[in-house]
Amino acid sequence: MAVKGVDFKYDGFFLLLQYFRIIVAINWKRYHSCAYPLHIWTVVDYTTTFIFRLLMFVDNGLAAGMGLDLGWQQRYQLFYGRIVVLSILVLLLYPFLLAWTVIGTLWFTRSRNCLPEDGQKWGILIWLLFSYSALVCIACICVGKISDAFT
């Protein structure tokens, strides 16, 4: 059943995450020469990003349902659902992704010469740049929303 205002189309981002996971899984044993577990870092980072994105879709669906006037019981139920989802995103996943990205950057700079292939070095570097960009964008949006709430 489709919810008005919610677009759950398949996203190429999910396909890209699966591709990266497969590449890491194929070269899993080659990472053992590294001083730091970059293979574990990438899998945890991809999985956390996937969960973050999935929860954002859930929040989008809950927000679209709140626009309908279905009675106070259902409005509050959707509102509390959004509070739970946004709390998980803001209080757990965002700080974890921020710290995990910094850890991954430190590990990558200290052991980038041990990666199995040159392409993976660029893949991890691009993923780190993407992670920092996404974290900065989310932080700016949150600051903008908070400043709008107080003005």
Side-chain angles (χ1 to χ4, degrees), residues 132-149:
Y132 280 115
S133 299
L135 289 169
V136 167
C137 287
I138 291 170
C140 289
I141 289 170
C142 289
V143 168
K145 297 277 184 190
I146 291 170
S147 67
D148 287 346

Side-chain angles (χ1 to χ4, degrees), residues 89-141:
L89 286 171
V90 171
L91 300 175
L92 293 175
L93 289 180
Y94 186 82
F96 175 77
L97 276 174
L98 182 63
W100 195 244
T101 302
V102 171
I103 290 170
T105 303
L106 295 173
W107 287 355
F108 175 72
T109 55
R110 293 180 183 159
S111 63
R112 64 179 165 213
N113 295 330
C114 73
L115 292 173
E117 298 172 8
D118 287 336
Q120 290 193 341
K121 183 186 306 183
W122 286 105
I124 290 176
L125 183 62
I126 290 169
W127 184 258
L128 282 169
L129 291 174
F130 167 75
S131 295
Y132 280 115
S133 299
L135 289 169
V136 167
C137 287
I138 291 170
C140 289
I141 289 170

Side-chain angles (χ1 to χ4, degrees), residues 18 21-22 46 59 61-62 83 88-89 95 113 128 134 142:
Q18 297 307 321
R21 279 193 211 167
I22 290 170
Y46 297 155
D59 178 57
L62 291 172
I83 294 293
I88 292 170
L89 286 171
N113 295 330
L128 282 169
C142 289

